[in-house]
Amino acid sequence: MTDIIQILILGLALGGVIALMGSGLALVFGVMRIVNLAHPSLIIAGAYIAYWGAKLTGIDPIVMLPVAAAIMAGIGVLMYRLVFEREARNAKYSEMTVLLTFALAMIVEGVLGGLFTNTQRVTSPGYATDAFFLGDLFIPKGQLYAGLISLVIIGALSLFLKYSRLGYAIRATTQNREAAELLGVNVNLISVLAFAIGIGLAGAAGSLVSFVFSFFPAKHWEWIAMLMSVVVLGGMGSILGTVVAALLLSVIAAFVGTWVGATWSTMTFFLALFVILLIRPQGLFGEKPEMA
Amino acid sequence: MSELLQVTNITAGYGDGPAILDGAHLTVEPGKVHCIIGPNGAGKSTLLKAICGMLTIRKGDVVFKGKRLNGLRPDQILRAGICFVPQERALFPKMTVRENLRMGGFVLDDQRELERRIGEILERFPILKERADQQAGTMSGGQQQTLAMARTLIIKPDIVMLDEPSLGLAPKVVQEMFDIMKMMSAEGVTVLLVEQNALIGLKNSDWGVVLDLGRTLFEGPASTVLSDPRIQELYLGGKKAA
């Protein structure tokens, strides 16, 4: 029984971080129908900001979180203006963004590789290798802090979306872009803002990831399938769905990793992606796709 | 005649595609109900979309209260006082009735005033009050249309444009929609309506506009349009107005 609780705790803590990693992806898809394959590479860019902040100035990666989020949000605005805005009314926009973001992922990887080489990095604050002990159970402090901070950020995002005027505008644009425009929402501005928040979340996730996982520029290829399976299971565009799916899949992956083997842990996400697409393509909280 | 909105020989279409409207004109008088009729593909919905800024006007002018609207965005045209309800009602299905009403007043800066107006609307439409916390997407077609029309009243617009409000509704519910429209008109809101069912549309209107192949063929008092034998033959299926 203790083993099961232990695995559950580890899975949930990691699930929180994965939820934050996926929430930006879900938000960007929900509002703009951009399938952002570059999202994990931008998380890695955020991780490098936290890493170099810690390495050069000794600043804790958690303290670097708002800095990484702000820098990445700024990069998000530039990316949107330069790459996505001019094609926003194209009928094949969503399909095009798959190719565009695939290219962007490779560019970001190339730039990061050129700047920082492909050496594996990890930030090492004291808590990253420490743990809380509760009887026979242990909770790694790094994972716990990262998981809790992720859930706090997602909670704040949800409150912002639910109650603020901008949040209303973002939700409305997500559900019916044309209707939002007709009611006075400047949907172009909202799109830029939502994209900036989405990429800012990637920056925030990067800061936390920097002490939870080791990373290098090409690591994003491993993460994209994991994040896509979380976002697809949750229901493309649903942040609540993303959180539920991340926690669920992380816990399953933790059990698989312990009982079957670590190599199979990652397979959980791949397998989940196939199964979801076959059985319930709209995910847990998504809309059932209309038949053509 | 003091026109509120004047559309003069406009040409408009979707993207770079062919012009759907070519020589459409329209005069809208304050406080009246205007009904645009015409066959499928005449450009009726396109005309409303061009007025509200969803399409670029290639030629001609749209002048509202003496101000040219050409080139303005939909949000700017809404702020000027023209509200548009498209065919598919443009609701936010996962938002509650109250949240949809709140979105109706998105352009209002005074949040306290917005809440007061939402309260007023809920009092006037008991069905919406009953379902204030229900998701809009789970309501019936008639209730959704009521919400879409009631939502326009939040900003107290000068003109409400309705694109086929009766589409997909049962006959009894259709009359309820026209009753709401008449109530809006009685309160001084000018209504510009596109209606596929020309007979019922004109019977509930003051002014009729006949559009075909993207141009205005005829406009005049609704009773005149209804009694014109050519219009009856072409657009009313030969039915005589009762």
Side-chain angles (χ1 to χ4, degrees), chain A residues 162 165-169 171-173 175-186 188 190 285-287, chain B residues 52 54 73-75 78-79 84 86 88 90-95 99 102-104 106-109 111 151:
Chain A
K162 178 80 181 161
R165 192 161 177 267
L166 276 175
Y168 264 83
R171 280 196 294 145
T173 307
Q175 292 179 36
N176 192 333
R177 191 181 177 90
E178 188 180 284
E181 193 169 23
L182 287 171
L183 292 175
V185 176
N186 183 341
N188 292 330
I190 289 298
F285 295 87
E287 300 264 324
Chain B
C52 80
M54 289 172 75
R73 294 190 310 263
D75 58 298
L78 178 80
R79 281 171 212 270
F84 174 47
E88 56 283 2
L91 295 177
F92 304 108
K94 288 189 171 178
M95 283 186 172
E99 287 176 326
R102 207 167 278 146
M103 276 309 297
F106 184 77
V107 294
L108 297 176
D109 293 325
Q111 295 303 296
R151 193 176 62 180

Side-chain angles (χ1 to χ4, degrees), chain A residues 17-64:
Chain A
V17 186
I18 293 171
L20 184 63
M21 291 166 78
S23 60
L25 191 61
L27 181 70
V28 165
F29 178 80
V31 179
M32 285 158 293
R33 303 288 159 210
I34 293 175
V35 182
N36 189 8
L37 297 181
H39 196 80
S41 67
L42 297 167
I43 293 174
I44 288 174
Y48 273 109
I49 293 171
Y51 173 83
W52 286 110
K55 178 120 179 149
L56 297 176
T57 64
I59 299 174
D60 189 283
I62 292 177
V63 179
M64 280 299 288

